[in-house]
Amino acid sequence: AYPRNDNHAPTMFWIVNALLAIGTFFTWKWEASKVGRSGSGNPRIICLGREQTEEWKGWMQWAFIFYHYYRVYYVYNEIRVFVSAYVWMTGFGNFLYFDKKADFSIERFVSMIIRINYFPLLLSFFLTVPLELYYVVPLHTTGFVVTMITCWIGYKFENACGMGYWKSRTMAVALSLFAHIIFYETPAVNFLLLFSKEYHFRFQADKYSAWLGMASGLLWGKLGDYMQWAHGYENDQRRRIVSIVQFCGGFGLIAFWYGLFGSIQDKYTYNPVHPYVFIFAVMGWLMIRNCTRYLTECHSTLLEFLGRHTLETYVLQFHLFMTHNVQYIPAVIPGSGADGSAVLKFLNMLLCGSVFLTTAVFARRVTVATQVSVVDLVKNITGTMDTSMTQVVPQQSTERKDSEHESEETIELTKAESV
């Protein structure tokens, strides 16, 4: 193995991304929008469904790993946005799940805690590495717990206090924001220093990411109405105009982020403003990715596959694809060291990458099997083996009922197997 700083190769970074783009092209899949569960009416236009979120995670993870591997320093700010987008999805997806299912059961809590933490904790314990090495794991865990608590408060406001749907959920999300501000914008944030300086930095870099995901989830029903109006089947001329405007708007948001913030070369200057501005790039991407009905109905099966294994590839990159806690590049093929030929180094990367990805797939299967077993055990202990969630019939306003159809596929991104 040799130090990863000796593997600084921006050209190779873009070559492997070009190869991913080719793979994306050949695995591009189209599936027409379906009608609602009633089986009647116009097909529903789903923005950010399960396949698309997995695809999104897949290409971001690819860029994240090869950013480390090829030491491409100048895309640091973009990688920070990708990490924040992951945490945003934690707040977004879990908000939709809890808001629709009202499943605040111990089984759901244990299921997600096991899914997120089981494999990283095993690696941390048996390899004697600090858990902060996998800093995204506690970010996701905290985001999940905070979202669950926020949604529980909103549910209680509605059902115990008699508030309407929108008032109860807005109050809960506002209280969550207030708690975030009190903690992160005051000396209280120094509590994280009791754990480590790394946690202190990482949590502040994504201090509002999960909350912004929750806020987006709250408004997702309204966005569903917009998507149906903009990209539905009633008016072809309107659909074309809206697609152009939406694409330009998304491009403008990304250009705004990059022009004022993303282009900052010094990461120590960029990091303090990142938590407040990354959302422009995220929203810009979502606008572009869903600017036509065709794009909402398509996804890459290759990227979807990579996205389903992001937790495992994230933690294993430190030990298999790279070594010594991601500080060294393994050289398995003779002549593929720091001074080796580009061809041999590329072949070495493919070999290590194959082992790395295969192990990640196996690790995911083991984790999910463990997750299911532990949840079944909890159900036996609590006497709820015949039910998968707490049965709740919440009071619903007209607005909430209208938004259920738009969210029922998006909600799938919080399935027990995913992170």
Side-chain angles (χ1 to χ4, degrees):
Y2 58 94
R4 67 170 179 166
N5 287 338
D6 294 341
N7 199 40
H8 177 62
T11 301
M12 287 303 303
F13 174 77
W14 293 112
I15 288 175
V16 296
N17 277 289
L19 293 175
L20 181 67
I22 294 172
T24 299
F25 175 80
F26 284 106
T27 59
W28 196 246
K29 179 182 178 182
W30 173 75
E31 185 176 351
S33 299
K34 299 181 178 65
V35 297
R37 291 181 179 177
S38 63
S40 61
N42 289 325
R44 294 176 295 110
I45 310 300
I46 301 298
C47 176
L48 206 58
R50 174 69 183 272
E51 294 84 1
Q52 191 183 127
T53 56
E54 298 290 16
E55 175 196 276
W56 188 13
K57 291 192 294 181
W59 67 258
M60 288 195 301
Q61 184 77 337
W62 179 280
F64 181 75
I65 290 173
F66 281 104
Y67 156 78
H68 283 303
Y69 193 85
Y70 287 119
R71 307 302 291 141
V72 190
Y73 306 108
Y74 59 80
V75 296
Y76 172 86
N77 295 345
E78 287 78 6
I79 297 300
R80 289 259 55 79
V81 171
F82 294 171
V83 173
S84 295
Y86 278 116
V87 183
W88 179 91
M89 275 189 269
T90 296
F92 170 75
N94 281 292
F95 180 91
L96 291 182
Y97 176 88
F98 288 119
D99 191 54
K100 180 175 174 61
K101 302 294 186 181
D103 173 18
F104 306 106
S105 62
I106 186 65
E107 293 91 341
R108 177 65 181 179
F109 179 81
V110 170
S111 176
M112 292 304 295
I113 294 299
I114 292 292
R115 177 66 185 100
I116 299 172
N117 292 274
Y118 175 70
F119 188 48
L121 285 173
L122 283 181
L123 288 176
S124 177
F125 178 77
F126 287 105
L127 298 180
T128 63
V129 297
L131 188 60
E132 68 183 32
L133 180 66
Y134 319 122
Y135 65 87
V136 168
V137 174
L139 283 176
H140 281 304
T141 304
T142 303
F144 164 72
V145 173
V146 168
T147 304
M148 186 176 187
I149 293 172
T150 301
C151 290
W152 179 81
I153 292 174
Y155 172 78
K156 288 298 182 181
F157 278 160
E158 181 181 11
N159 291 273
C161 302
M163 292 185 181
Y165 172 76
W166 282 105
K167 185 176 182 180
S168 63
R169 298 320 188 265
T170 302
M171 283 284 292
V173 172
L175 283 175
S176 180
L177 175 60
F178 179 73
H180 279 71
I181 293 173
I182 290 297
F183 182 77
Y184 286 112
E185 306 296 346
T186 69
V189 72
N190 293 326
F191 168 78
L192 295 170
L193 291 172
L194 297 177
F195 298 94
S196 73
K197 292 182 178 179
E198 183 72 6
Y199 282 143
H200 186 256
F201 164 67
R202 298 297 181 182
F203 271 80
Q204 289 193 89
D206 281 297
K207 52 188 173 183
Y208 295 117
S209 300
W211 182 86
L212 286 167
M214 287 190 285
S216 300
L218 177 61
L219 299 173
W220 213 246
K222 297 299 183 183
L223 179 64
D225 295 338
Y226 159 77
M227 291 295 292
Q228 202 67 29
W229 171 84
H231 303 295
Y233 293 78
E234 295 83 5
N235 192 315
D236 289 340
Q237 182 180 8
R238 178 176 66 199
R239 189 169 65 246
R240 287 192 293 269
I241 294 173
V242 170
S243 293
I244 294 172
V245 172
Q246 188 173 317
F247 177 87
C248 293
F251 183 84
L253 284 176
I254 294 175
F256 172 78
W257 169 82
Y258 185 80
L260 294 183
F261 310 105
S263 58
I264 297 173
Q265 297 296 312
D266 181 11
K267 68 179 183 180
Y268 297 106
T269 302
Y270 174 75
N271 283 337
V273 300
H274 169 79
Y276 310 99
V277 302
F278 83 90
I279 193 65
F280 294 112
V282 169
M283 292 296 106
W285 163 251
L286 291 178
M287 289 175 68
I288 292 175
R289 180 63 180 83
N290 295 277
C291 68
T292 71
R293 187 172 70 215
Y294 171 77
L295 287 176
T296 66
E297 296 172 340
C298 291
H299 72 281
S300 164
T301 55
L302 171 63
L303 295 182
E304 181 191 10
F305 168 78
L306 295 175
R308 287 199 304 269
H309 300 85
T310 49
L311 173 62
E312 288 73 27
T313 52
Y314 169 72
V315 296
L316 285 174
Q317 68 171 316
F318 297 95
H319 311 294
L320 285 180
F321 198 50
M322 289 161 274
T323 61
H324 297 83
N325 301 343
V326 87
Q327 296 303 313
Y328 284 78
I329 303 296
V332 180
I333 298 176
S336 62
D339 299 323
S341 71
V343 173
L344 288 177
K345 292 173 74 173
F346 181 74
L347 292 175
N348 182 76
M349 183 274 291
L350 290 179
L351 176 60
C352 294
S354 299
V355 175
F356 162 62
L357 185 57
T358 301
T359 307
V361 171
F362 175 76
R364 178 181 183 274
R365 291 176 180 173
V366 172
T367 301
V368 171
T370 304
Q371 173 192 17
V372 172
S373 298
V374 172
V375 171
D376 284 346
L377 176 62
V378 172
K379 289 178 181 178
N380 275 312
I381 293 174
T382 59
T384 59
M385 189 62 193
D386 294 331
T387 59
S388 60
M389 65 179 65
T390 304
Q391 297 298 316
V392 183
V393 182
Q395 300 175 15
Q396 295 180 327
S397 66
T398 303
E399 296 92 337
R400 184 178 184 183
K401 292 178 181 178
D402 290 341
S403 68
E404 279 188 353
H405 286 311
E406 283 80 0
S407 66
E408 63 189 14
E409 286 193 24
T410 312
I411 220 163
E412 288 299 305
L413 86 108
T414 59
K415 266 188 174 180
E417 307 92 286
S418 66
V419 173

